[in-house]
Coordinates of all heavy atoms in Angstrom, one line a residue:
M157 N -6.1 48.3 31.9 CA -6.9 47.1 31.5 C -8.2 47.1 32.1 O -9.2 46.7 31.5 CB -6.1 45.8 32.0 CG -4.8 45.5 31.3 SD -3.9 44.2 32.0 CE -4.8 42.8 31.4
V158 N -8.4 47.6 33.3 CA -9.7 47.7 34.0 C -10.6 48.6 33.2 O -11.8 48.2 33.1 CB -9.5 48.1 35.4 CG1 -10.9 48.3 36.1 CG2 -8.8 47.0 36.2
D159 N -10.1 49.7 32.7 CA -11.0 50.6 31.9 C -11.6 49.9 30.7 O -12.6 50.2 30.3 CB -10.2 51.8 31.5 CG -9.9 52.8 32.6 OD1 -10.5 52.6 33.6 OD2 -9.0 53.6 32.4
A160 N -10.9 48.9 30.1 CA -11.4 48.1 29.0 C -12.5 47.3 29.2 O -13.3 47.0 28.4 CB -10.2 47.3 28.4
L161 N -12.8 47.0 30.4 CA -14.0 46.2 30.8 C -15.3 46.9 30.5 O -16.3 46.2 30.2 CB -14.0 45.8 32.3 CG -13.0 44.8 32.8 CD1 -13.0 44.7 34.3 CD2 -13.4 43.5 32.2
G162 N -15.3 48.2 30.4 CA -16.4 49.0 30.1 C -17.0 48.7 28.7 O -18.2 48.8 28.4
W163 N -16.1 48.5 27.8 CA -16.4 48.4 26.4 C -17.3 47.2 26.1 O -18.4 47.3 25.5 CB -15.2 48.3 25.4 CG -15.5 48.3 24.0 CD1 -15.8 49.4 23.2 CD2 -15.8 47.1 23.2 NE1 -16.1 49.0 21.9 CE2 -16.1 47.6 21.9 CE3 -15.7 45.7 23.4 CZ2 -16.4 46.7 20.8 CZ3 -16.0 44.9 22.4 CH2 -16.3 45.4 21.1
P164 N -17.0 46.0 26.5 CA -18.0 44.8 26.3 C -19.3 45.0 27.0 O -20.3 44.6 26.5 CB -17.2 43.6 26.8 CG -16.0 44.1 27.5 CD -15.8 45.4 27.2
E165 N -19.2 45.7 28.2 CA -20.5 45.9 28.9 C -21.4 46.8 28.2 O -22.6 46.7 28.0 CB -20.2 46.5 30.3 CG -19.5 45.5 31.2 CD -19.0 46.0 32.6 OE1 -18.8 47.3 32.6 OE2 -18.9 45.4 33.5
D166 N -20.7 47.9 27.6 CA -21.5 48.8 26.8 C -22.1 48.2 25.5 O -23.2 48.5 25.1 CB -20.6 50.1 26.5 CG -20.3 51.0 27.6 OD1 -21.0 50.8 28.7 OD2 -19.3 51.8 27.5
Q167 N -21.3 47.4 24.9 CA -21.7 46.7 23.6 C -22.8 45.8 24.0 O -23.7 45.7 23.1 CB -20.5 46.0 23.0 CG -19.5 46.9 22.4 CD -19.9 47.8 21.5 OE1 -20.5 47.5 20.4 NE2 -19.8 49.1 21.7
N168 N -22.8 45.1 25.1 CA -23.8 44.1 25.4 C -25.1 44.9 25.7 O -26.2 44.3 25.4 CB -23.4 43.3 26.6 CG -24.2 42.0 26.8 OD1 -24.4 41.3 25.8 ND2 -24.6 41.7 28.0
A169 N -25.0 46.1 26.3 CA -26.2 46.8 26.7 C -26.8 47.7 25.6 O -28.0 48.0 25.7 CB -25.9 47.7 27.9
G170 N -26.0 48.0 24.6 CA -26.5 48.9 23.5 C -27.3 48.3 22.4 O -26.8 47.4 21.8
P171 N -28.5 48.6 22.3 CA -29.4 48.0 21.2 C -28.9 48.1 19.8 O -29.1 47.3 19.0 CB -30.8 48.6 21.4 CG -30.6 49.7 22.5 CD -29.3 49.6 23.0
A172 N -28.0 49.1 19.6 CA -27.5 49.3 18.2 C -26.3 48.5 17.9 O -25.8 48.3 16.8 CB -27.2 50.8 18.0
S173 N -25.8 47.8 18.9 CA -24.6 47.0 18.9 C -24.8 45.6 18.3 O -25.8 45.1 18.7 CB -23.9 46.9 20.2 OG -22.8 45.9 20.1
P174 N -24.0 45.1 17.4 CA -24.2 43.8 16.9 C -23.9 42.7 17.9 O -24.3 41.6 17.9 CB -23.1 43.6 15.8 CG -22.1 44.7 16.0 CD -22.9 45.8 16.7
L175 N -23.3 43.2 19.1 CA -23.0 42.3 20.2 C -24.2 42.3 21.3 O -24.2 41.7 22.3 CB -21.8 42.6 20.9 CG -20.5 42.5 20.0 CD1 -19.3 42.9 20.7 CD2 -20.4 41.0 19.5
H176 N -25.2 43.1 21.1 CA -26.3 43.4 22.0 C -26.8 42.0 22.6 O -27.3 41.2 21.8 CB -27.4 44.1 21.3 CG -28.6 44.5 22.3 ND1 -28.5 45.2 23.4 CD2 -29.9 44.0 22.2 CE1 -29.7 45.3 24.0 NE2 -30.6 44.6 23.3
Q177 N -26.7 41.9 23.9 CA -27.3 40.7 24.7 C -26.7 39.4 24.2 O -27.3 38.4 24.4 CB -28.8 40.7 24.7 CG -29.4 41.9 25.3 CD -30.9 41.8 25.4 OE1 -31.5 41.1 24.7 NE2 -31.5 42.7 26.2
N178 N -25.4 39.5 23.6 CA -24.8 38.2 23.2 C -23.5 38.0 24.0 O -22.9 36.9 23.7 CB -24.3 38.3 21.7 CG -25.6 38.2 20.8 OD1 -26.5 37.3 21.0 ND2 -25.7 39.0 19.7
L179 N -23.2 38.8 24.9 CA -22.0 38.6 25.8 C -22.4 38.2 27.2 O -23.3 38.8 27.7 CB -21.1 39.9 25.8 CG -20.7 40.4 24.4 CD1 -19.9 41.7 24.6 CD2 -19.8 39.4 23.8
D180 N -21.7 37.3 27.7 CA -21.8 36.9 29.2 C -20.8 37.7 30.0 O -19.7 37.3 30.1 CB -21.7 35.5 29.4 CG -22.0 35.0 30.8 OD1 -22.2 35.9 31.7 OD2 -22.0 33.8 31.0
T181 N -21.1 38.9 30.4 CA -20.2 39.7 31.1 C -20.0 39.3 32.6 O -19.2 39.9 33.3 CB -20.6 41.2 31.1 OG1 -21.9 41.3 31.7 CG2 -20.6 41.7 29.7
S182 N -20.6 38.2 33.0 CA -20.3 37.6 34.3 C -19.1 36.6 34.3 O -18.7 36.2 35.3 CB -21.5 36.9 34.8 OG -21.8 35.7 34.2
E183 N -18.6 36.3 33.1 CA -17.6 35.4 32.9 C -16.4 36.0 32.2 O -15.9 35.5 31.2 CB -18.1 34.1 32.2 CG -19.2 33.4 32.8 CD -18.8 32.6 34.0 OE1 -17.5 32.3 34.1 OE2 -19.6 32.3 35.0
V184 N -15.8 37.1 32.8 CA -14.7 37.8 32.1 C -13.4 37.4 32.8 O -13.3 37.2 34.0 CB -14.9 39.2 32.2 CG1 -13.8 40.1 31.7 CG2 -16.3 39.7 31.6
A185 N -12.4 37.2 31.9 CA -11.0 36.8 32.4 C -10.0 37.8 31.8 O -10.3 38.2 30.6 CB -10.7 35.4 32.1
F186 N -9.0 38.1 32.5 CA -7.8 38.8 31.9 C -6.7 37.8 31.8 O -6.5 37.0 32.7 CB -7.4 39.9 32.7 CG -8.1 41.2 32.6 CD1 -7.9 42.2 33.5 CD2 -9.0 41.5 31.6 CE1 -8.6 43.4 33.4 CE2 -9.7 42.6 31.4 CZ -9.5 43.6 32.3
G187 N -5.9 37.9 30.8 CA -4.7 37.0 30.6 C -3.7 37.8 30.0 O -3.9 38.8 29.3
G188 N -2.4 37.4 30.2 CA -1.3 38.1 29.7 C 0.0 37.3 29.7 O 0.1 36.4 30.5
H189 N 0.9 37.7 28.9 CA 2.2 37.0 28.8 C 3.3 38.1 29.0 O 3.2 39.3 28.5 CB 2.4 36.4 27.3 CG 3.8 36.0 27.2 ND1 4.8 36.7 26.6 CD2 4.3 34.7 27.5 CE1 5.9 35.9 26.5 NE2 5.6 34.8 27.0
S190 N 4.3 37.8 29.8 CA 5.4 38.7 30.1 C 4.9 39.9 30.8 O 4.2 39.9 31.8 CB 6.2 38.9 28.8 OG 7.3 39.7 29.1
R191 N 5.1 41.0 30.2 CA 4.6 42.3 30.8 C 3.1 42.3 30.9 O 2.6 42.9 31.9 CB 5.1 43.5 30.0 CG 4.7 44.9 30.5 CD 5.1 45.2 32.0 NE 4.6 46.3 32.5 CZ 3.6 46.4 33.5 NH1 3.1 45.3 34.0 NH2 3.2 47.6 33.9
G192 N 2.4 41.8 30.0 CA 1.0 41.7 30.1 C 0.4 40.9 31.3 O -0.5 41.2 31.9
S193 N 1.2 39.8 31.7 CA 1.0 39.1 32.8 C 1.1 39.9 34.1 O 0.3 39.8 35.0 CB 1.9 37.8 32.9 OG 1.6 37.1 34.1
I194 N 2.1 40.8 34.1 CA 2.4 41.6 35.3 C 1.2 42.7 35.4 O 0.6 42.9 36.5 CB 3.7 42.2 35.2 CG1 4.8 41.3 35.4 CG2 3.8 43.4 36.3 CD1 6.1 41.8 35.1
G195 N 0.7 43.1 34.2 CA -0.5 44.0 34.3 C -1.7 43.3 34.7 O -2.5 43.8 35.5
T196 N -1.8 42.0 34.4 CA -3.0 41.2 34.9 C -2.9 41.0 36.4 O -4.0 41.1 37.0 CB -2.9 39.9 34.1 OG1 -3.1 40.1 32.7 CG2 -4.1 39.1 34.5
F197 N -1.8 40.9 36.9 CA -1.6 40.7 38.4 C -2.1 42.1 39.0 O -2.8 42.1 40.0 CB -0.1 40.6 38.8 CG 0.3 39.2 38.9 CD1 1.3 38.7 38.0 CD2 -0.2 38.3 39.8 CE1 1.7 37.4 38.0 CE2 0.3 37.0 39.8 CZ 1.2 36.6 39.0
D198 N -1.8 43.2 38.4 CA -2.3 44.5 39.0 C -3.8 44.7 39.0 O -4.3 45.4 39.8 CB -1.7 45.6 38.1 CG -0.1 45.8 38.3 OD1 0.4 45.3 39.4 OD2 0.5 46.5 37.4
A199 N -4.5 44.0 38.0 CA -5.9 44.1 37.9 C -6.6 42.9 38.5 O -7.9 43.0 38.5 CB -6.3 44.2 36.4
A200 N -6.0 42.0 39.1 CA -6.6 40.7 39.5 C -7.7 41.0 40.7 O -8.5 40.2 40.8 CB -5.5 39.8 40.1
D201 N -7.6 42.1 41.4 CA -8.6 42.3 42.4 C -9.8 43.0 41.9 O -10.7 43.3 42.7 CB -8.0 43.1 43.6 CG -7.5 44.4 43.2 OD1 -7.4 44.8 42.0 OD2 -7.2 45.2 44.1
E202 N -10.0 43.2 40.6 CA -11.2 43.8 40.0 C -12.3 42.9 40.2 O -12.3 41.7 39.8 CB -11.0 44.1 38.5 CG -12.1 44.4 37.7 CD -12.9 45.6 38.2 OE1 -12.2 46.7 38.5 OE2 -14.1 45.6 38.3
P203 N -13.4 43.2 40.8 CA -14.5 42.4 41.2 C -15.3 41.9 39.9 O -16.0 40.9 40.0 CB -15.4 43.2 42.1 CG -15.0 44.6 41.9 CD -13.6 44.6 41.5
R204 N -15.2 42.6 38.8 CA -15.8 42.0 37.6 C -15.2 40.9 36.9 O -15.7 40.3 36.0 CB -16.1 43.2 36.6 CG -17.0 44.3 37.1 CD -17.1 45.5 36.2 NE -15.8 46.3 36.2 CZ -15.6 47.2 35.4 NH1 -16.4 47.7 34.6 NH2 -14.4 47.9 35.6
L205 N -13.9 40.6 37.3 CA -13.2 39.5 36.7 C -13.5 38.2 37.5 O -13.6 38.2 38.6 CB -11.7 39.7 36.9 CG -11.1 40.8 36.0 CD1 -9.6 41.0 36.3 CD2 -11.3 40.7 34.6
E206 N -13.7 37.1 36.7 CA -13.9 35.8 37.2 C -12.6 35.1 37.5 O -12.4 34.4 38.5 CB -14.7 34.9 36.2 CG -15.1 33.6 36.7 CD -16.1 33.6 37.9 OE1 -16.8 34.6 38.0 OE2 -16.1 32.6 38.5
T207 N -11.6 35.3 36.6 CA -10.3 34.7 36.8 C -9.2 35.5 36.1 O -9.6 36.4 35.2 CB -10.3 33.2 36.4 OG1 -9.1 32.6 36.9 CG2 -10.3 33.1 34.9
T208 N -8.0 35.2 36.3 CA -6.9 35.7 35.6 C -5.9 34.6 35.1 O -5.8 33.6 35.8 CB -6.1 36.8 36.4 OG1 -5.6 36.2 37.6 CG2 -6.9 38.0 36.7
I209 N -5.2 34.8 34.0 CA -4.3 33.8 33.4 C -3.0 34.5 33.2 O -2.9 35.5 32.7 CB -4.8 33.3 32.2 CG1 -6.2 32.7 32.3 CG2 -3.8 32.2 31.5 CD1 -7.0 32.5 31.0
H210 N -1.9 33.9 33.7 CA -0.6 34.5 33.6 C 0.4 33.5 33.0 O 0.5 32.3 33.4 CB -0.1 34.8 35.1 CG -1.1 35.5 35.9 ND1 -1.1 36.9 35.9 CD2 -2.1 35.1 36.7 CE1 -2.1 37.4 36.7 NE2 -2.7 36.2 37.2
V211 N 1.1 34.0 32.0 CA 2.1 33.2 31.3 C 3.4 33.9 31.3 O 3.6 35.0 30.8 CB 1.6 33.0 29.8 CG1 2.7 32.1 29.1 CG2 0.3 32.3 29.8
A212 N 4.4 33.3 32.0 CA 5.8 33.8 32.0 C 5.9 35.2 32.4 O 6.5 36.1 31.8 CB 6.5 33.6 30.6
G213 N 5.2 35.6 33.5 CA 5.2 37.0 34.0 C 5.9 37.2 35.3 O 5.8 38.3 35.8
G214 N 6.6 36.2 35.7 CA 7.2 36.3 37.1 C 6.3 36.1 38.1 O 5.1 35.8 38.0
S215 N 6.7 36.4 39.4 CA 5.9 36.3 40.5 C 6.2 37.4 41.5 O 7.3 38.0 41.4 CB 6.0 35.0 41.2 OG 7.3 34.7 41.6
F216 N 5.3 37.6 42.5 CA 5.5 38.7 43.4 C 5.4 38.0 44.8 O 4.6 37.5 45.2 CB 4.4 39.7 43.3 CG 4.5 40.5 42.0 CD1 3.6 40.1 41.0 CD2 5.3 41.5 41.8 CE1 3.6 40.8 39.8 CE2 5.4 42.1 40.6 CZ 4.5 41.7 39.6

């Protein structure tokens, strides 16, 4: 999941991208349900994330 953060950053920075300078990469959140929620817990300490959202993923 953390590797996926590079894609919007690259799209926002690339002048050939239709998303060029249209994304606010300072306001990124990860969310997930069930197993996706557990994956979100694993990535929650990533400094580029503003918040995380967990739905029915258990607790640790």
Side-chain angles (χ1 to χ4, degrees):
M157 291 177 76
V158 172
D159 290 343
L161 286 172
W163 186 85
E165 291 172 337
D166 292 345
Q167 295 299 305
N168 198 48
S173 170
L175 300 175
H176 180 64
Q177 296 182 344
N178 285 319
L179 301 176
D180 183 356
T181 58
S182 70
E183 298 290 336
V184 177
F186 277 170
H189 174 265
S190 189
R191 177 62 186 107
S193 175
I194 294 170
T196 301
F197 275 112
D198 290 340
D201 62 349
E202 166 60 44
R204 294 175 289 176
L205 293 177
E206 184 67 23
T207 193
T208 57
I209 304 163
H210 308 270
V211 180
S215 62
F216 297 98

